[in-house]
Amino acid sequence: MTRMSRARVARRIAAGAAYGGGGAGLAGVAVVGLLLAEMRLAKRHVGNGVSPQVPNAQGVYGISYAVRGEPPLRLTMLGDSTAAGQGVHRAGQTPGALLASGLAAVAERPVRLRNVALPGARSDDLERQVALALADQDRVPDVCVIMIGANDVTHRMPPTRSVRCLSTAVRRLRTAGAEVVVGTCPDLGTIEPVQQPLRWLAKRASRQLAAAQTIGVVEQGGRTVSLGDLLGPEFAANPRELFGPDNYHPSAEGYATAAMAVLPTVCAALALWPTEDERPDLSRNEGFLPVARAAAEAASEAGTEVAAAMPTGPRGPWALLKRRRRRRVQEPEPAPTPAPVNPS
């Protein structure tokens, strides 16, 4: 599918989400039986050898910066097993811990991490997660990172419903005063146990949903980062290194790859990134584009950021597309002692 056609599909899905359309499944009704048969075969292999237990990474990171006297920044993770960090054994290997430690280093102040993500969650669970994140109105998160979408594809949630749930969550968080960064649906077409033709259909469905998610998020004032590399080209090239024991969830190295892609955008959302890096770099094919076209471009290249720019233009809302330089995020060593969990 070309990027222009992907942009058209993404626009239709986002419009359906905004105006209440139901929408057909991403892969089409004709292939539902095939998808289910292939998925049953894949599930015999996926999920073996890993505990569903997710390390508890909640707590305060960058405690050494507390001497400055500034209160900790509040970072909250929402989403599915990827946001929770399923597949690794140490708290410091989870994406939340990696992002919190990286953000603390850039901001030079402590960061309090809270994680309300749920393994297996689909976008319709975000209503519950947002309620948890905003339970204490005196301690609204400074920034929220959402990673969601993979289970929507595998469970055939209508894409319009998926995008509608995500857009509503972003709107509620932004209205409360939190910055929002969404890691869009990863490329599911490279999961090792999945065979053709499901592999091709999964890739197509993943990219369509990622593009539609981008439109919905940007229109609500959030930012997106394409996570195609999370289960995409880098994973296809190095599956033994970047996949975890179940061949589905990322390994520690895989989560570090995802955190590297998301951290610059989190910092930019909090105005912590260098000002000169906020200007489009034409040599990197950055610039202002209609939001649907920017969404399609981002879905095709992992690590690409899309943020709102002009509210209207010749083709509707426009967005700024950025390809930020990735910076290595080290696992916190030693891992910080989690602070008592409270709705902060």
Side-chain angles (χ1 to χ4, degrees), residues 213-291:
Q213 286 177 319
T214 295
I215 296 175
V217 170
V218 170
E219 288 181 345
Q220 299 302 327
R223 302 183 185 219
T224 65
V225 179
S226 169
L227 291 184
D229 272 359
L230 191 61
L231 294 173
E234 291 185 11
F235 278 67
N238 304 286
R240 294 290 176 259
E241 180 181 358
L242 296 177
F243 277 121
D246 61 358
N247 292 328
Y248 186 90
H249 293 99
S251 64
E253 184 68 22
Y255 279 129
T257 299
M260 280 192 291
V262 174
L263 178 60
T265 301
V266 170
C267 293
L270 294 172
L272 296 172
W273 212 240
T275 304
E276 60 272 16
D277 198 45
E278 295 306 297
R279 292 188 291 269
D281 185 343
L282 298 181
S283 68
R284 294 160 59 85
N285 294 320
E286 298 178 347
F288 297 95
L289 296 170
V291 65

Side-chain angles (χ1 to χ4, degrees), residues 65-78:
Y65 297 112
V67 295
R68 296 172 176 266
E70 294 182 275
L73 289 168
R74 292 186 287 270
L75 165 65
T76 299
M77 301 290 296
L78 305 90

Side-chain angles (χ1 to χ4, degrees), residues 69-246:
E70 294 182 275
L73 289 168
R74 292 186 287 270
L75 165 65
T76 299
M77 301 290 296
L78 305 90
D80 54 23
S81 57
T82 303
Q86 186 171 355
V88 295
H89 301 291
R90 297 204 301 269
Q93 296 172 328
T94 63
L98 293 167
L99 287 171
S101 60
L103 179 59
V106 174
E108 296 186 341
R109 60 187 288 191
V111 173
R112 181 179 295 277
L113 172 66
R114 188 177 184 212
N115 199 324
V116 297
L118 178 68
R122 289 169 281 183
S123 293
D124 53 5
D125 190 57
L126 289 175
E127 180 179 6
R128 180 192 64 83
Q129 295 183 28
V130 169
L132 291 174
L134 300 180
D136 187 345
Q137 292 299 311
D138 293 328
R139 297 184 177 181
V140 172
D142 293 293
V143 61
C144 294
V145 174
I146 304 174
M147 296 179 177
I148 200 81
N151 296 313
D152 296 14
V153 174
T154 59
H155 289 77
R156 298 182 296 113
M157 175 181 285
T160 50
R161 183 185 176 197
S162 175
V163 174
R164 187 183 308 124
C165 292
L166 176 59
S167 299
T168 300
V170 174
R171 182 170 62 251
R172 288 179 62 193
L173 292 168
R174 293 290 292 130
T175 300
E179 297 293 338
V180 181
V181 176
V182 175
T184 55
C185 182
D187 185 349
L188 300 178
T190 53
I191 300 174
E192 282 197 321
V194 177
Q195 302 300 317
Q196 296 290 12
L198 179 59
R199 184 184 294 269
W200 179 85
L201 292 167
K203 176 183 289 290
R204 180 178 177 226
S206 301
R207 291 192 172 187
Q208 285 181 4
L209 181 57
Q213 286 177 319
T214 295
I215 296 175
V217 170
V218 170
E219 288 181 345
Q220 299 302 327
R223 302 183 185 219
T224 65
V225 179
S226 169
L227 291 184
D229 272 359
L230 191 61
L231 294 173
E234 291 185 11
F235 278 67
N238 304 286
R240 294 290 176 259
E241 180 181 358
L242 296 177
F243 277 121
D246 61 358

